[in-house]
Amino acid sequence: MLVLEKITKQFENVLAVDSVSFTVQPGRIFGFLGPNGAGKTTTIRMIMDILRPDSGRVIYSGDTKMPDARAFGYLPEERGLYQKIPIKELLIYFANLRGLRTGEASKVIDMYLERFDLSARKDTKVGELSKGNQQKVQFINCIIHNPDYLILDEPFSGLDPVNQLILKEILDEFKDHGKTIIFSTHQMDQVERMCDDIALINKGKMVVAGKLRDVKETYGKKILEVIPLSEADLNHAIFADMKGEILDHNIHIPFEHESAIQEMIQKINQTVSVRSIRIAEAGLEEIFISLVRGAK
Amino acid sequence: MKKIWIIGLHEFRIRVRSKWFLISTFGLPIIIISLSLVSGYVAGSGIGSSVKHYGVLDETGIYGKSVAADLEQQYKDGDEGLYAFQVETDVSESNRAVFDTLVTEGSLDGYFLIPGDVAKTLVVSFYSKKVGAFRDVSRFERVFNRLLIQNNVKNYNLDSTIVKTLMARAEVNSFELGKTDKLSGSQEFFRYMAPFAFLFLLFMGVFMGAQMLMRGIIEERSNRVIEVMLSVANYNEVMAGKILGMAGLGISQSLFYLIVLAGVGGYYGVNLINSMMVILFLAYFILGYLWWAAVFMAIGSLFDSEQDAQQAVSFISILAVVPMMLWTLVIESPNSTLVNVLTYIPIFTPYFMIMKLAVNAASAFQIGTTLLIMLVAVYYTMRVAGKVFKTAILLYGKRITLPEIIRWIRN
């Protein structure tokens, strides 16, 4: 378990993280969300002890002393690898730094390279790999030592759907083994599919934290989702009057009470031709946007 | 400590197997030795020389032929003479014009004009298309003056044996202490050049190591490897590991060069290196390297591109060239005030001390105090560099100003 208690960090005149607190439970995936410049990276760097908080503390399984590097698998947002070193040699180097012996590391590395379909390229220099393959190597580097804490900043970026699936499977395995997983991303669909708990931070301040389901229930308003038949219908003034928002070829119309729905549907049907009308739940992306805008 | 060792070993390994390191390590002595062998061979074989043709217009009719014969006989390349003279006694304007033409056409490299009253005026003139025949003119001068004195002795009816005794010149032979064989010319030259060789080795080792360290840090910063590194080791371990790896590289390279230098010295019969010299060389190397490594590492942590960093280090690198500029002064006056003052400035200390050691001009007191000064300087420079490194290394894409750096150091 990982607990952040009122951690604060100031750089010169910028208050990057302002008294942020949250708890990450083992065996659950924790989505750490926030717009660019919200203070996510600074918070993660404080968890990793790369930066020291000005105040507050980070508690690792009940202890304020940070465990050894072997306990952590960290995939930073600003990440890279030595370009001129063969993949396997590079992975062994980092494994050695985390305290694994070469022989022991070699077996695990071979297993993961096989799993990510990189076995044939283990002697290829990192710089000769595609961006997606480099991303896979970076992820393998995070997990070869079977860490207790996995901290992943945008782990899916640059991966094709097949490799995204492999990565998701591995994360689920870690979750099943009771590991503590923090997962930071802008891809809300990934968060909805994978995370059990989330925290949203904006301008260094905590906006919301809790179970994903609870957050959606509390902040997710229901909307009327209309799919008009034609482009002309989509842009009809009636939707603007109803404060509808165009998302792709759909229109999302907010409503206060379910009693108003019947009247709204009737009005739409009389004015424009529609393919479908249904009551839908707002997605995490909309919650994210409304909370961030609301925080402003 | 284990992580420092792993990082150091990794840094050492990836660089030692790069082809540029191998080329620079083995290539440099091979090139220097090959060049000296080739120039020695060229000098000895006469490949590079050609017969010089000079004219002599000798109004006296006494000296010209004798000087020419002497020089033709004295300076030979194998059986071939180095000089060929065309001697005439007609110094009229018309004959001078003929010689001028010969020089212009290139048949002669120049000509000497000995006036009839040379014994009084003591002036001989030399004419050529371009100046540069210093060595030939000085050889002519030497032989001419000898013959002039001999002729004067004869004119004054003096006893030539007595004059010869009076004019005899002594030569100074050089000996290495404790040895009975005098030093040959090449040995003396080698002894003279040895301090420069040590200086050059130290300079190369320290600077190449520090430059490589800086390049490595910039590369890790721009590749974004540094944050991954900082998640497996702390700042001090990353810094110390990198410095250790490069130090290992520099020490291996310097030891290799020292062995080559000792080998070349041995070939010329000059014993340049003893165990104390090696120990002190390594001590000054390590301290000098650590000082520069700290400076270069701090600068490297401030920049995303090597080009920008190189501009920043260019100013401070100029200072490092000062010992190179003053090496002859150190050899000739190793205990002059200027040299002694510069020896105690940490940025110069290792370079001046290594030269002083090479000419046996460093006292035990000086060795002790300079080592202490360097230790203190390295300690404080490392602390300052550490503060800059820790603060700047993760500040991507931000232009860092000097007042900011000063503020970090103060904090």
Side-chain angles (χ1 to χ4, degrees):
Chain A
M1 189 163 73
L2 188 73
V3 180
L4 272 72
E5 276 183 4
K6 293 185 176 175
I7 56 164
T8 298
K9 182 76 189 175
Q10 181 154 1
F11 296 112
E12 309 268 313
N13 301 321
V14 181
L15 189 58
V17 176
D18 186 4
S19 196
V20 165
S21 302
F22 59 78
T23 301
V24 188
Q25 300 285 351
R28 295 174 71 84
I29 298 181
F30 183 90
F32 189 37
L33 318 175
N36 295 329
K40 296 192 301 291
T41 301
T42 305
T43 306
I44 289 176
R45 282 179 180 169
M46 285 191 279
I47 296 172
M48 289 304 301
D49 201 32
I50 291 171
L51 292 176
R52 290 271 159 87
D54 297 333
S55 63
R57 57 185 190 161
V58 184
I59 304 164
Y60 310 86
S61 302
D63 196 346
T64 49
K65 190 176 176 291
M66 194 200 181
D68 188 62
R70 189 169 178 164
F72 291 89
Y74 176 42
L75 187 71
E77 183 191 16
E78 296 278 6
R79 54 182 170 248
L81 294 168
Y82 294 103
Q83 299 290 300
K84 291 172 189 161
I85 306 174
I87 299 172
K88 190 163 176 188
E89 187 185 330
L90 178 103
L91 290 170
I92 286 177
Y93 169 54
F94 278 108
N96 288 158
L97 276 172
R98 288 178 175 118
L100 263 72
R101 288 177 193 281
T102 304
E104 176 189 0
S106 181
K107 283 181 198 161
V108 186
I109 290 165
D110 285 342
M111 186 266 287
Y112 279 121
L113 287 176
E114 180 74 44
R115 212 162 158 186
F116 276 105
D117 198 22
L118 283 171
S119 287
R121 311 200 66 181
K122 64 180 176 189
D123 296 321
T124 306
K125 286 181 182 168
V126 173
E128 291 166 17
L129 296 177
S130 68
K131 206 178 162 198
N133 280 339
Q134 287 196 31
Q135 172 83 353
K136 291 193 257 178
V137 176
Q138 280 160 345
F139 180 69
I140 295 171
N141 183 35
C142 285
I143 54 171
I144 33 180
H145 52 298
N146 191 23
D148 293 330
Y149 301 89
L150 257 184
I151 296 165
L152 312 168
D153 206 339
E154 291 289 357
F156 292 98
S157 70
L159 288 184
D160 60 56
V162 176
N163 285 300
Q164 284 194 13
L165 196 67
I166 300 172
L167 195 143
K168 186 179 176 307
E169 281 169 14
I170 294 172
L171 286 182
D172 284 339
E173 287 166 22
F174 270 78
K175 179 181 158 180
D176 294 344
H177 283 93
K179 308 288 184 179
T180 302
I181 304 166
I182 297 184
F183 168 33
S184 173
T185 183
H186 290 120
Q187 291 173 271
M188 294 301 145
D189 54 330
Q190 296 282 7
V191 177
E192 287 201 71
R193 256 181 284 149
M194 295 185 60
C195 295
D196 304 295
D197 306 304
I198 62 161
L200 173 65
I201 165 178
N202 188 36
K203 291 185 176 172
K205 282 193 166 70
M206 185 62 95
V207 179
V208 66
K211 287 182 180 161
L212 175 65
R213 204 180 47 236
D214 296 346
V215 171
K216 283 185 82 173
E217 267 176 25
T218 312
Y219 297 94
K221 287 178 183 167
K222 288 188 175 166
I223 47 130
L224 200 63
E225 188 190 72
V226 183
I227 307 178
L229 204 60
S230 68
E231 196 76 12
D233 293 324
L234 183 77
N235 294 311
H236 198 281
I238 187 178
F239 296 125
D241 293 343
M242 291 177 166
K243 293 181 183 157
E245 199 173 345
I246 300 175
L247 289 168
D248 288 330
H249 292 286
N250 304 351
I251 295 170
H252 290 185
I253 306 167
F255 57 86
E256 291 297 322
H257 303 288
E258 293 203 2
S259 56
I261 293 175
Q262 276 306 323
E263 197 189 329
M264 285 168 78
I265 293 174
Q266 212 173 358
K267 215 171 173 182
I268 291 167
N269 276 329
Q270 283 167 358
T271 321
V272 290
S273 307
V274 297
R275 199 184 304 276
S276 73
I277 299 180
R278 71 181 185 104
I279 296 168
E281 205 172 43
L284 193 59
E285 187 159 356
E286 280 153 319
I287 296 172
F288 179 93
I289 292 167
S290 72
L291 283 173
V292 169
R293 280 182 183 162
K296 278 178 184 171
Chain B
M1 195 63 207
K2 197 178 173 196
K3 285 183 187 175
I4 296 174
W5 178 248
I6 294 171
I7 295 170
L9 203 63
H10 169 81
E11 294 287 334
F12 179 83
R13 236 182 3 217
I14 55 170
R15 280 179 177 80
V16 88
R17 69 186 184 201
S18 84
K19 60 176 179 261
W20 288 112
F21 176 78
L22 295 176
I23 289 169
S24 71
T25 305
F26 297 108
L28 193 69
I30 289 171
I31 289 170
I32 292 172
I33 291 170
S34 307
L35 281 177
S36 61
L37 286 177
V38 167
S39 68
Y41 174 74
V42 166
S45 67
I47 293 171
S49 57
S50 59
V51 178
K52 298 274 187 69
H53 296 269
Y54 289 111
V56 182
L57 293 179
D58 176 19
E59 202 178 3
T60 66
I62 306 167
Y63 303 105
K65 284 196 171 150
S66 306
V67 176
D70 193 312
L71 286 170
E72 281 171 358
Q73 193 62 34
Q74 201 183 142
Y75 296 101
K76 283 195 164 179
D77 180 17
D79 292 334
E80 287 277 309
L82 283 177
Y83 295 110
F85 288 92
Q86 184 179 337
V87 185
E88 290 182 17
T89 50
D90 178 5
V91 295
S92 65
E93 286 296 322
S94 59
N95 203 31
R96 280 188 63 182
V98 171
F99 268 59
D100 285 346
T101 314
L102 289 172
V103 172
T104 313
E105 286 170 352
S107 310
L108 288 179
D109 293 300
Y111 68 90
F112 296 87
L113 177 68
I114 305 170
D117 57 353
V118 68
K120 277 186 189 166
T121 61
L122 297 173
V123 173
V124 174
S125 306
F126 175 70
Y127 299 92
S128 70
K129 263 201 289 193
K130 54 182 187 296
V131 281
F134 303 115
R135 197 173 60 172
D136 298 336
V137 172
S138 113
R139 282 172 178 172
F140 186 95
E141 198 177 62
R142 193 157 31 88
V143 173
F144 176 81
N145 277 318
R146 182 161 42 84
L147 290 174
L148 183 71
I149 291 165
Q150 276 175 11
N151 200 43
N152 285 340
V153 166
K154 208 163 78 186
N155 288 343
Y156 286 103
N157 285 324
L158 298 172
D159 185 337
S160 63
T161 327
I162 294 170
V163 174
K164 208 172 176 180
T165 311
L166 288 174
M167 300 223 18
R169 296 167 71 152
E171 65 175 60
V172 177
N173 289 330
S174 301
F175 292 87
E176 205 174 329
L177 263 181
K179 296 202 173 165
T180 47
D181 296 334
K182 70 171 184 174
L183 290 174
S184 67
S186 56
Q187 284 173 326
E188 271 195 78
F189 177 74
F190 203 76
R191 273 232 157 274
Y192 188 77
M193 289 303 289
F196 182 74
F198 281 115
L199 171 70
F200 187 70
L201 281 189
L202 192 72
F203 185 82
M204 288 282 290
V206 166
F207 250 71
M208 273 175 65
Q211 285 266 7
M212 264 199 269
L213 182 73
M214 187 181 80
R215 267 204 297 275
I217 285 167
I218 293 168
E219 197 187 331
E220 288 190 13
R221 216 173 111 86
S222 58
N223 273 351
R224 308 294 197 246
V225 185
I226 196 75
E227 194 158 351
V228 181
M229 281 300 296
L230 289 172
S231 73
V232 293
N234 64 38
Y235 289 96
N236 291 337
E237 288 166 338
V238 172
M239 257 173 66
K242 286 185 170 297
I243 289 173
L244 178 74
M246 295 300 170
L249 204 70
I251 288 171
S252 322
Q253 202 173 35
S254 298
L255 281 177
F256 173 73
Y257 288 150
L258 280 178
I259 292 166
V260 172
L261 194 64
V264 175
Y267 176 78
Y268 286 106
V270 180
N271 183 19
L272 285 174
I273 295 163
N274 54 44
S275 53
M276 186 47 90
M277 186 69 188
V278 172
I279 290 167
L280 287 171
F281 181 90
L282 288 178
Y284 285 110
F285 173 86
I286 291 167
L287 290 167
Y289 164 77
L290 288 177
W291 194 87
W292 282 101
V295 172
F296 274 50
M297 193 173 61
I299 293 173
S301 66
L302 296 171
F303 296 95
D304 284 326
S305 87
E306 197 184 329
Q307 206 179 357
D308 293 344
Q310 285 295 357
Q311 281 177 354
V313 295
S314 59
F315 170 71
I316 198 156
S317 301
I318 291 170
L319 291 174
V321 184
V322 170
M324 288 281 193
M325 289 156 59
L326 295 176
W327 75 277
T328 48
L329 177 71
V330 181
I331 290 166
E332 279 155 23
S333 318
N335 284 314
S336 63
T337 313
L338 177 65
V339 173
N340 278 337
V341 169
L342 291 173
T343 303
Y344 284 104
I345 299 173
I347 192 168
F348 304 129
T349 301
Y351 304 114
F352 280 100
M353 279 307 288
I354 208 71
M355 287 193 281
K356 286 180 137 208
L357 285 166
V359 290
N360 288 323
S363 64
F365 173 77
Q366 236 171 6
I367 294 170
T369 45
T370 51
L371 285 175
L372 194 68
I373 285 173
M374 280 309 291
L375 275 171
V376 174
V378 165
Y379 173 75
Y380 282 104
T381 314
M382 281 278 175
R383 278 191 62 165
V384 168
K387 283 185 180 180
V388 175
F389 180 81
K390 279 183 190 180
T391 319
I393 196 75
L394 292 174
L395 289 178
Y396 303 123
K398 184 180 182 301
R399 198 183 153 84
I400 297 158
T401 60
L402 194 61
E404 272 179 307
I405 298 170
I406 294 168
R407 209 159 44 239
W408 299 340
I409 296 168
R410 280 190 180 155
N411 290 337

